Coordinates of all heavy atoms in Angstrom, one line a residue:
P1 N -29.4 -0.7 1.8 CA -29.0 0.4 2.5 C -27.6 0.7 2.1 O -26.8 -0.1 1.8 CB -29.1 0.0 4.0 CG -29.3 -1.5 4.0 CD -29.8 -1.9 2.6
T2 N -27.2 2.0 2.2 CA -25.9 2.5 1.9 C -25.1 2.7 3.1 O -25.6 3.3 4.1 CB -25.9 3.7 1.1 OG1 -26.9 3.5 0.0 CG2 -24.5 4.1 0.5
T3 N -23.9 2.2 3.2 CA -23.1 2.6 4.4 C -22.0 3.4 3.9 O -21.4 3.2 2.9 CB -22.6 1.3 5.1 OG1 -21.8 0.5 4.0 CG2 -23.8 0.4 5.7
A4 N -21.6 4.4 4.8 CA -20.5 5.2 4.6 C -19.2 4.6 5.2 O -19.3 4.2 6.3 CB -20.7 6.6 5.0
T5 N -18.2 4.7 4.6 CA -17.0 4.3 5.2 C -15.9 5.4 5.2 O -15.8 6.0 4.2 CB -16.3 2.9 4.5 OG1 -16.1 3.3 3.0 CG2 -17.3 1.8 4.6
A6 N -15.2 5.4 6.2 CA -14.1 6.4 6.3 C -13.0 5.9 5.5 O -12.5 4.7 5.7 CB -13.9 6.8 7.6
T7 N -12.4 6.8 4.7 CA -11.1 6.5 4.1 C -10.0 7.4 4.5 O -10.3 8.6 4.8 CB -11.3 6.5 2.6 OG1 -11.6 7.9 2.1 CG2 -12.3 5.5 2.1
T8 N -8.9 6.9 4.7 CA -7.7 7.9 5.0 C -6.8 7.8 3.8 O -6.5 6.9 3.2 CB -7.0 7.5 6.2 OG1 -6.6 6.0 6.0 CG2 -8.0 7.5 7.4
T9 N -6.3 9.0 3.5 CA -5.4 9.0 2.4 C -4.0 9.3 3.1 O -3.8 10.1 3.9 CB -5.6 10.4 1.6 OG1 -6.9 10.2 1.2 CG2 -4.6 10.5 0.4
T10 N -3.0 8.5 2.7 CA -1.7 8.5 3.2 C -0.7 8.9 2.2 O -0.8 8.3 1.0 CB -1.2 7.1 3.7 OG1 -2.2 6.6 4.7 CG2 0.1 7.3 4.4
K11 N 0.0 10.0 2.5 CA 0.8 10.5 1.4 C 2.1 9.6 1.5 O 2.7 9.6 2.5 CB 1.3 12.0 1.7 CG 2.1 12.5 0.7 CD 2.5 13.9 0.9 CE 3.6 14.5 -0.1 NZ 4.0 15.8 0.1
A12 N 2.3 9.0 0.4 CA 3.6 8.1 0.4 C 4.9 9.0 0.2 O 4.8 10.0 -0.4 CB 3.5 7.2 -0.9
I13 N 5.8 8.6 1.0 CA 7.1 9.4 1.0 C 7.8 9.0 -0.2 O 8.3 7.7 -0.4 CB 7.9 9.1 2.3 CG1 7.1 9.6 3.4 CG2 9.2 9.9 2.2 CD1 7.8 9.4 4.9
M14 N 8.0 9.9 -1.2 CA 8.8 9.6 -2.4 C 10.3 9.8 -2.1 O 10.6 10.8 -1.4 CB 8.2 10.6 -3.5 CG 6.8 10.3 -3.8 SD 6.4 9.0 -4.7 CE 7.1 9.0 -6.0
P15 N 11.1 9.0 -2.7 CA 12.5 9.3 -2.5 C 12.9 10.6 -3.2 O 12.3 10.9 -4.1 CB 13.2 8.1 -3.2 CG 12.1 7.6 -4.0 CD 10.8 7.9 -3.5
S16 N 13.8 11.3 -2.6 CA 14.3 12.5 -3.2 C 14.8 12.3 -4.6 O 15.3 11.3 -5.0 CB 15.3 13.1 -2.3 OG 14.8 13.7 -1.2
I17 N 14.7 13.3 -5.4 CA 15.4 13.5 -6.7 C 16.9 13.4 -6.5 O 17.5 13.9 -5.6 CB 14.9 14.7 -7.4 CG1 13.5 14.5 -7.7 CG2 15.8 14.9 -8.7 CD1 12.9 15.8 -8.3
T18 N 17.5 12.7 -7.4 CA 19.0 12.6 -7.4 C 19.6 13.6 -8.4 O 18.9 14.1 -9.2 CB 19.5 11.3 -7.8 OG1 19.1 10.9 -9.0 CG2 19.1 10.1 -6.7
Y19 N 20.9 13.9 -8.1 CA 21.4 15.1 -8.9 C 22.7 14.5 -9.5 O 23.4 13.8 -8.9 CB 21.8 16.2 -8.1 CG 20.4 16.9 -7.4 CD1 19.9 16.3 -6.4 CD2 19.8 17.9 -7.9 CE1 18.7 16.8 -5.8 CE2 18.8 18.5 -7.5 CZ 18.1 17.9 -6.4 OH 16.9 18.4 -5.9
S20 N 23.1 15.1 -10.7 CA 24.3 14.6 -11.4 C 25.0 16.0 -12.0 O 24.3 17.0 -12.1 CB 24.1 13.8 -12.6 OG 23.5 12.5 -12.0
S21 N 26.3 15.8 -12.1 CA 27.1 17.0 -12.7 C 26.7 17.2 -14.2 O 26.7 16.1 -14.9 CB 28.5 16.7 -12.5 OG 29.3 17.5 -13.3
T22 N 26.7 18.4 -14.6 CA 26.5 18.7 -16.0 C 27.6 18.1 -16.9 O 27.5 18.0 -18.1 CB 26.3 20.2 -16.3 OG1 27.5 20.8 -15.7 CG2 25.1 20.7 -15.6
R23 N 28.9 18.0 -16.3 CA 30.0 17.3 -17.0 C 30.0 15.8 -17.0 O 30.9 15.1 -17.3 CB 31.2 18.0 -16.6 CG 31.2 19.6 -16.9 CD 32.5 20.2 -16.8 NE 32.5 21.5 -17.2 CZ 33.4 22.3 -16.9 NH1 34.5 22.0 -16.5 NH2 33.3 23.7 -17.4
G24 N 29.2 15.1 -16.1 CA 29.1 13.7 -16.1 C 30.1 13.1 -15.1 O 30.0 11.9 -15.0
G25 N 30.9 13.8 -14.4 CA 31.8 13.2 -13.4 C 31.2 12.7 -12.2 O 31.8 11.7 -11.7
Q26 N 30.1 13.2 -11.8 CA 29.4 12.7 -10.5 C 28.0 12.4 -10.9 O 27.4 13.4 -11.5 CB 29.6 13.7 -9.4 CG 31.0 13.7 -8.8 CD 31.1 14.7 -7.8 OE1 31.2 16.0 -8.1 NE2 31.0 14.3 -6.5
K27 N 27.4 11.3 -10.6 CA 26.0 11.0 -10.8 C 25.3 10.4 -9.6 O 25.9 9.9 -8.7 CB 26.1 9.9 -12.0 CG 26.7 10.4 -13.2 CD 26.6 9.5 -14.2 CE 27.3 10.0 -15.6 NZ 27.1 9.2 -16.7
N28 N 23.9 10.7 -9.7 CA 23.0 10.2 -8.8 C 23.2 10.5 -7.3 O 23.2 9.6 -6.4 CB 22.9 8.6 -9.0 CG 22.4 8.3 -10.4 OD1 21.5 9.0 -11.0 ND2 23.1 7.3 -11.0
L29 N 23.6 11.6 -7.1 CA 23.9 12.1 -5.7 C 22.6 12.7 -4.9 O 21.8 13.2 -5.7 CB 25.0 13.2 -5.6 CG 26.3 12.8 -6.3 CD1 27.2 14.0 -6.3 CD2 26.9 11.7 -5.4
D30 N 22.5 12.5 -3.6 CA 21.3 13.0 -3.0 C 21.5 14.5 -2.7 O 22.7 15.0 -2.9 CB 21.0 12.2 -1.7 CG 22.2 12.2 -0.7 OD1 23.0 13.4 -0.6 OD2 22.4 11.3 0.1
F31 N 20.4 15.1 -2.2 CA 20.4 16.5 -2.0 C 21.4 17.0 -1.1 O 22.1 17.9 -1.3 CB 19.0 16.9 -1.6 CG 18.7 18.3 -1.3 CD1 18.6 19.3 -2.3 CD2 18.8 18.8 0.0 CE1 18.6 20.7 -2.0 CE2 18.8 20.1 0.4 CZ 18.5 21.0 -0.6
R32 N 21.5 16.3 0.1 CA 22.5 16.7 1.2 C 23.9 16.7 0.7 O 24.7 17.6 0.8 CB 22.3 15.9 2.4 CG 21.0 16.1 3.1 CD 21.1 15.3 4.3 NE 19.9 15.6 5.2 CZ 19.8 15.4 6.5 NH1 20.8 14.8 7.1 NH2 18.7 15.7 7.0
T33 N 24.3 15.7 -0.1 CA 25.5 15.6 -0.7 C 25.9 16.7 -1.7 O 26.9 17.4 -1.6 CB 25.8 14.2 -1.3 OG1 25.6 13.3 -0.4 CG2 27.2 14.2 -2.0
V34 N 24.9 17.1 -2.5 CA 25.0 18.1 -3.5 C 25.2 19.5 -2.8 O 26.2 20.3 -3.1 CB 23.8 18.1 -4.4 CG1 23.8 19.2 -5.3 CG2 23.9 16.8 -5.3
V35 N 24.4 19.7 -1.8 CA 24.4 21.0 -1.2 C 25.8 21.2 -0.4 O 26.4 22.2 -0.4 CB 23.3 21.1 -0.1 CG1 23.5 22.4 0.8 CG2 22.0 21.3 -0.9
M36 N 26.2 20.1 0.2 CA 27.4 20.1 1.1 C 28.8 20.2 0.1 O 29.7 20.7 0.5 CB 27.5 19.0 2.1 CG 26.5 19.1 3.0 SD 26.4 20.7 3.9 CE 27.9 20.7 4.8
T37 N 28.5 19.7 -1.1 CA 29.8 19.6 -2.0 C 29.8 21.0 -2.9 O 31.0 21.4 -3.0 CB 29.5 18.5 -3.1 OG1 29.4 17.3 -2.4 CG2 30.6 18.4 -4.1
G38 N 28.8 21.6 -3.2 CA 28.8 22.8 -3.9 C 29.0 22.5 -5.5 O 28.1 22.0 -6.1
L39 N 30.2 22.7 -6.0 CA 30.4 22.5 -7.4 C 30.9 21.0 -7.5 O 31.6 20.5 -6.5 CB 31.6 23.3 -7.9 CG 31.2 24.7 -8.3 CD1 32.6 25.5 -8.8 CD2 30.2 24.7 -9.5
A40 N 30.5 20.4 -8.6 CA 31.0 19.0 -8.8 C 32.5 19.0 -8.9 O 33.2 20.0 -9.2 CB 30.3 18.4 -10.1
H41 N 33.1 17.8 -8.6 CA 34.6 17.7 -8.7 C 35.1 17.9 -10.1 O 36.4 18.4 -10.3 CB 35.1 16.3 -8.2 CG 34.7 15.9 -6.8 ND1 35.2 16.8 -5.8 CD2 34.1 14.9 -6.2 CE1 34.6 16.2 -4.6 NE2 34.0 15.2 -4.9
D42 N 34.3 17.8 -11.2 CA 34.6 18.1 -12.6 C 34.4 19.4 -12.8 O 34.4 19.8 -14.1 CB 34.0 17.0 -13.4 CG 32.4 17.1 -13.4 OD1 32.0 18.0 -12.7 OD2 31.9 16.2 -14.0
R43 N 34.1 20.3 -11.9 CA 33.7 21.7 -12.1 C 32.4 22.0 -12.8 O 32.1 23.1 -13.1 CB 34.9 22.5 -12.8 CG 36.2 22.3 -12.3 CD 36.4 22.7 -10.8 NE 36.4 24.3 -10.8 CZ 36.2 24.9 -9.7 NH1 36.1 24.2 -8.5 NH2 36.1 26.2 -9.6
G44 N 31.6 20.9 -12.8 CA 30.2 21.1 -13.4 C 29.2 21.4 -12.3 O 29.6 21.4 -11.2
L45 N 28.1 21.8 -12.8 CA 27.0 22.2 -11.9 C 26.2 20.9 -11.5 O 26.0 20.1 -12.5 CB 26.1 23.2 -12.5 CG 26.9 24.6 -12.8 CD1 25.9 25.6 -13.5 CD2 27.4 25.2 -11.6
F46 N 25.5 20.8 -10.5 CA 24.6 19.8 -10.2 C 23.3 20.1 -10.8 O 22.8 21.2 -10.4 CB 24.6 19.5 -8.8 CG 25.8 18.7 -8.2 CD1 26.7 19.3 -7.4 CD2 26.2 17.4 -8.6 CE1 27.9 18.8 -6.8 CE2 27.3 16.8 -8.1 CZ 28.2 17.4 -7.3
V47 N 22.7 19.3 -11.4 CA 21.3 19.4 -11.9 C 20.5 18.2 -11.5 O 21.0 17.1 -11.4 CB 21.2 19.7 -13.4 CG1 21.9 21.0 -13.8 CG2 21.9 18.5 -14.2
P48 N 19.1 18.4 -11.4 CA 18.2 17.2 -11.1 C 18.3 16.2 -12.3 O 18.4 16.5 -13.4 CB 16.9 17.8 -11.1 CG 17.1 19.3 -10.8 CD 18.4 19.6 -11.5
D49 N 18.3 14.9 -11.8 CA 18.3 13.8 -12.9 C 16.9 13.6 -13.4 O 16.7 13.1 -14.5 CB 18.7 12.5 -12.2 CG 20.1 12.4 -11.9 OD1 21.0 13.1 -12.7 OD2 20.5 12.0 -10.9
S50 N 15.9 14.1 -12.8 CA 14.5 14.2 -13.3 C 13.8 15.4 -12.6 O 14.3 15.9 -11.6 CB 13.7 12.7 -12.9 OG 13.7 12.8 -11.5
Y51 N 12.6 15.7 -13.2 CA 11.9 16.8 -12.7 C 10.6 16.4 -12.2 O 10.0 15.6 -12.7 CB 11.7 17.9 -13.8 CG 13.1 18.5 -14.1 CD1 13.8 18.0 -15.3 CD2 13.5 19.6 -13.5 CE1 15.1 18.6 -15.6 CE2 14.7 20.1 -13.8 CZ 15.5 19.6 -14.9 OH 16.7 20.2 -15.1
P52 N 10.2 16.9 -11.0 CA 8.9 16.4 -10.4 C 7.6 17.0 -11.2 O 7.8 18.0 -12.0 CB 9.0 17.1 -9.1 CG 9.9 18.3 -9.1 CD 10.8 17.9 -10.2
T53 N 6.7 16.3 -11.0 CA 5.4 16.7 -11.7 C 4.6 17.7 -10.8 O 4.6 17.5 -9.6 CB 4.4 15.4 -11.9 OG1 5.1 14.6 -12.7 CG2 3.2 15.7 -12.7
V54 N 4.1 18.7 -11.4 CA 3.2 19.7 -10.7 C 1.9 19.7 -11.4 O 1.8 19.9 -12.6 CB 3.8 21.1 -10.7 CG1 2.9 22.1 -10.0 CG2 5.3 21.1 -10.1
T55 N 0.8 19.4 -10.7 CA -0.5 19.4 -11.2 C -1.0 20.8 -11.2 O -0.6 21.7 -10.6 CB -1.4 18.5 -10.3 OG1 -1.7 19.1 -9.1 CG2 -0.8 17.1 -10.1
L56 N -2.1 21.0 -12.1 CA -2.7 22.3 -12.2 C -3.3 22.6 -10.9 O -3.4 23.7 -10.5 CB -3.8 22.2 -13.4 CG -4.6 23.4 -13.6 CD1 -3.5 24.6 -14.0 CD2 -5.6 23.2 -14.8
E57 N -3.9 21.6 -10.2 CA -4.6 21.8 -8.8 C -3.5 22.5 -8.0 O -3.8 23.4 -7.2 CB -5.2 20.6 -8.3 CG -6.4 20.2 -9.1 CD -6.1 19.4 -10.5 OE1 -5.0 18.8 -10.5 OE2 -7.0 19.3 -11.3
E58 N -2.3 21.9 -8.0 CA -1.2 22.3 -7.2 C -0.9 23.8 -7.3 O -0.8 24.7 -6.6 CB 0.1 21.6 -7.2 CG -0.1 20.3 -6.5 CD 1.2 19.4 -6.8 OE1 1.4 19.0 -7.9 OE2 1.9 19.0 -5.7
I59 N -0.7 24.1 -8.6 CA -0.5 25.5 -9.1 C -1.5 26.5 -8.8 O -1.3 27.5 -8.2 CB -0.2 25.6 -10.6 CG1 1.0 24.9 -11.0 CG2 -0.1 27.0 -11.2 CD1 1.3 24.6 -12.5
E60 N -2.8 26.1 -8.8 CA -3.8 26.9 -8.5 C -3.8 27.1 -6.9 O -4.1 28.3 -6.5 CB -5.2 26.2 -8.9 CG -5.4 26.3 -10.3 CD -5.7 27.7 -10.9 OE1 -6.2 28.6 -10.1 OE2 -5.4 27.9 -12.0
S61 N -3.4 26.1 -6.2 CA -3.4 26.3 -4.6 C -2.3 27.2 -4.2 O -2.4 27.7 -3.1 CB -3.4 24.8 -4.0 OG -2.1 24.3 -4.2
W62 N -1.3 27.2 -5.0 CA -0.2 28.0 -4.7 C -0.4 29.6 -4.8 O 0.4 30.4 -4.4 CB 1.1 27.7 -5.5 CG 1.7 26.3 -5.2 CD1 1.2 25.5 -4.1 CD2 2.5 25.5 -5.9 NE1 1.9 24.3 -4.3 CE2 2.8 24.3 -5.3 CE3 3.3 25.8 -7.1 CZ2 3.7 23.4 -5.7 CZ3 4.2 24.8 -7.5 CH2 4.4 23.6 -6.9
R63 N -1.4 29.9 -5.6 CA -1.8 31.3 -5.8 C -1.8 32.3 -4.7 O -1.4 33.4 -4.7 CB -3.0 31.5 -6.7 CG -2.8 31.2 -8.2 CD -4.3 31.3 -8.9 NE -4.1 30.9 -10.2 CZ -4.2 31.7 -11.2 NH1 -4.5 33.0 -11.0 NH2 -4.1 31.3 -12.5
S64 N -2.4 31.7 -3.6 CA -2.6 32.6 -2.5 C -1.5 32.4 -1.4 O -1.6 33.0 -0.3 CB -4.0 32.0 -1.7 OG -3.8 30.8 -1.4
L65 N -0.5 31.7 -1.6 CA 0.6 31.6 -0.7 C 1.6 32.7 -0.7 O 1.7 33.4 -1.6 CB 1.4 30.3 -1.1 CG 0.7 28.9 -1.0 CD1 1.7 27.8 -1.4 CD2 0.2 28.6 0.3
S66 N 2.1 32.9 0.4 CA 3.1 33.9 0.6 C 4.3 33.4 -0.1 O 4.6 32.2 -0.5 CB 3.5 34.2 2.1 OG 4.1 32.9 2.6
Y67 N 5.3 34.3 -0.4 CA 6.5 34.0 -1.2 C 7.2 32.8 -0.3 O 7.6 31.8 -0.9 CB 7.4 35.1 -1.3 CG 8.7 34.8 -2.0 CD1 8.7 34.7 -3.4 CD2 9.9 34.6 -1.4 CE1 9.8 34.5 -4.2 CE2 11.0 34.2 -2.2 CZ 11.0 34.2 -3.5 OH 12.0 33.9 -4.2
A68 N 7.4 32.9 0.9 CA 8.1 31.8 1.8 C 7.4 30.6 1.6 O 8.0 29.5 1.6 CB 8.1 32.4 3.2
D69 N 6.1 30.5 1.7 CA 5.3 29.3 1.7 C 5.3 28.7 0.3 O 5.4 27.4 0.1 CB 3.8 29.4 2.1 CG 3.7 29.7 3.6 OD1 4.6 29.3 4.4 OD2 2.7 30.3 3.9
L70 N 5.3 29.6 -0.7 CA 5.5 29.1 -2.1 C 6.9 28.3 -2.3 O 6.9 27.2 -2.9 CB 5.4 30.2 -3.1 CG 5.6 29.9 -4.6 CD1 4.6 28.7 -5.1 CD2 5.4 31.2 -5.4
A71 N 7.9 29.1 -1.8 CA 9.2 28.5 -2.0 C 9.3 27.1 -1.3 O 10.0 26.2 -1.8 CB 10.3 29.5 -1.3
V72 N 8.8 26.9 -0.2 CA 8.7 25.7 0.5 C 8.2 24.6 -0.3 O 8.5 23.5 -0.5 CB 8.0 25.8 1.9 CG1 7.8 24.4 2.6 CG2 8.9 26.6 2.9
N73 N 6.9 24.9 -1.0 CA 6.2 24.0 -1.7 C 6.9 23.6 -3.0 O 6.9 22.3 -3.3 CB 4.8 24.6 -2.0 CG 3.8 24.4 -1.1 OD1 3.2 23.4 -0.9 ND2 3.7 25.3 -0.1
V74 N 7.7 24.5 -3.5 CA 8.4 24.2 -4.7 C 9.6 23.4 -4.4 O 10.0 22.4 -5.0 CB 8.9 25.6 -5.5 CG1 9.8 25.2 -6.6 CG2 7.5 26.2 -6.0
I75 N 10.4 23.9 -3.4 CA 11.6 23.1 -3.0 C 11.2 21.7 -2.6 O 12.0 20.7 -2.7 CB 12.4 23.9 -1.8 CG1 12.9 25.2 -2.3 CG2 13.4 23.0 -1.2 CD1 13.4 26.2 -1.3
A76 N 10.1 21.6 -1.9 CA 9.6 20.1 -1.4 C 9.5 19.3 -2.6 O 9.5 18.1 -2.4 CB 8.4 20.3 -0.5
K77 N 9.3 19.7 -3.7 CA 9.2 18.9 -4.9 C 10.5 18.3 -5.2 O 10.5 17.2 -5.9 CB 8.5 19.7 -6.1 CG 7.2 20.1 -5.9 CD 6.3 18.9 -6.2 CE 4.9 19.2 -6.5 NZ 4.2 18.0 -6.7
F78 N 11.6 18.9 -4.8 CA 12.8 18.4 -5.3 C 13.4 17.7 -4.0 O 14.5 17.0 -4.2 CB 13.8 19.6 -5.7 CG 13.4 20.1 -7.0 CD1 12.4 21.1 -7.1 CD2 13.9 19.5 -8.3 CE1 12.0 21.6 -8.4 CE2 13.6 20.2 -9.5 CZ 12.6 21.1 -9.6
V79 N 13.1 18.0 -2.9 CA 13.7 17.5 -1.6 C 12.6 16.9 -0.8 O 11.9 17.6 -0.2 CB 14.4 18.7 -0.8 CG1 15.1 18.1 0.4 CG2 15.4 19.4 -1.8
Q80 N 12.6 15.6 -0.8 CA 11.6 14.9 0.0 C 11.9 14.8 1.4 O 13.0 15.0 1.9 CB 11.3 13.5 -0.7 CG 10.8 13.7 -2.1 CD 9.5 14.3 -2.2 OE1 8.7 14.3 -1.4 NE2 9.3 15.2 -3.3
E81 N 11.0 14.1 2.2 CA 11.2 14.0 3.7 C 12.4 13.1 4.1 O 12.9 13.2 5.1 CB 9.8 13.3 4.3 CG 8.8 14.2 4.2 CD 8.7 15.0 5.6 OE1 9.3 14.6 6.6 OE2 7.9 15.9 5.6
D82 N 12.9 12.2 3.2 CA 14.0 11.4 3.5 C 15.2 12.2 3.5 O 16.2 11.8 4.1 CB 14.2 10.3 2.6 CG 14.5 10.7 1.0 OD1 13.9 11.8 0.7 OD2 15.2 10.1 0.4
Q83 N 15.3 13.5 3.0 CA 16.5 14.2 3.1 C 16.4 15.5 3.9 O 17.3 15.8 4.7 CB 16.9 14.8 1.5 CG 17.3 13.7 0.7 CD 18.6 13.2 1.1 OE1 19.6 13.9 1.2 NE2 18.7 11.9 1.2
V84 N 15.4 16.1 4.0 CA 15.1 17.3 4.8 C 13.6 17.2 5.3 O 12.7 17.4 4.5 CB 15.2 18.6 4.1 CG1 15.0 19.8 5.1 CG2 16.7 18.8 3.6
P85 N 13.4 17.0 6.5 CA 12.0 16.9 7.1 C 11.2 18.2 6.8 O 11.9 19.2 6.8 CB 12.0 16.7 8.5 CG 13.5 16.1 8.6 CD 14.3 16.7 7.5
A86 N 9.9 18.0 6.5 CA 9.1 19.4 6.1 C 9.3 20.4 7.2 O 9.3 21.6 6.8 CB 7.7 18.9 5.9
D87 N 9.2 20.0 8.4 CA 9.3 21.0 9.4 C 10.6 21.8 9.5 O 10.7 23.0 9.7 CB 9.1 20.5 10.9 CG 9.9 19.4 11.3 OD1 10.5 18.7 10.4 OD2 10.3 19.4 12.5
K88 N 11.7 21.1 9.1 CA 13.0 21.8 9.0 C 13.1 22.6 7.6 O 13.7 23.7 7.7 CB 14.1 20.7 8.9 CG 14.2 20.0 10.1 CD 14.7 20.8 11.3 CE 14.9 20.1 12.6 NZ 15.0 20.9 13.8
L89 N 12.4 22.2 6.7 CA 12.3 22.9 5.3 C 11.7 24.3 5.7 O 12.1 25.2 5.1 CB 11.6 22.1 4.3 CG 11.8 22.7 2.9 CD1 13.2 22.8 2.3 CD2 11.1 21.7 2.0
K90 N 10.7 24.2 6.4 CA 9.9 25.5 6.7 C 10.7 26.5 7.6 O 10.3 27.6 7.5 CB 8.5 25.2 7.4 CG 7.6 24.4 6.3 CD 6.4 24.1 7.2 CE 5.4 23.3 6.2 NZ 4.3 22.8 6.8
D91 N 11.7 26.0 8.2 CA 12.5 26.9 9.0 C 13.4 27.6 8.1 O 13.9 28.7 8.2 CB 13.3 26.2 10.1 CG 12.7 25.6 11.2 OD1 11.4 26.2 11.6 OD2 13.1 24.7 12.0

């Protein structure tokens, strides 16, 4: 006989991407620090140290979203729950 088992999928909370100055003066800063700092002390711009992966399925699921919901989904790739909770990001 075959038995069905319920499985639950838990989304692991990934740490946020870190950001560094384009001129190299400041490295591996978190999202909040970068937003509150604005320009880097060396007058460089902050850029992500790595870029998140977006699957084809995600892109397809984004087609029907409003502009605001699409923005939340894209920003959430760069800012995880440890920096800005999803409910706050949607505000």
Side-chain angles (χ1 to χ4, degrees):
T2 308
T3 58
T5 57
T7 59
T8 57
T9 305
T10 307
K11 183 180 177 185
I13 296 176
M14 301 291 294
S16 286
I17 291 173
T18 57
Y19 299 81
S20 294
S21 170
T22 53
R23 295 189 178 175
Q26 291 178 276
K27 297 181 181 192
N28 302 317
L29 300 174
D30 63 34
F31 177 78
R32 286 183 179 202
T33 302
V34 167
V35 168
M36 297 308 293
T37 302
L39 283 176
H41 298 307
D42 61 7
R43 309 298 288 164
L45 301 175
F46 288 112
V47 294
D49 291 323
S50 62
Y51 292 93
T53 302
V54 180
T55 66
L56 184 57
E57 291 79 18
E58 285 176 300
I59 292 171
E60 290 293 331
S61 73
W62 291 350
R63 284 179 180 245
S64 61
L65 297 178
S66 68
Y67 183 80
D69 289 337
L70 175 61
V72 167
N73 278 274
V74 171
I75 294 168
K77 290 291 199 171
F78 290 88
V79 183
Q80 300 296 323
E81 290 270 339
D82 66 321
Q83 291 292 306
V84 180
D87 60 328
K88 297 293 182 190
L89 190 59
K90 291 177 184 177
D91 283 342

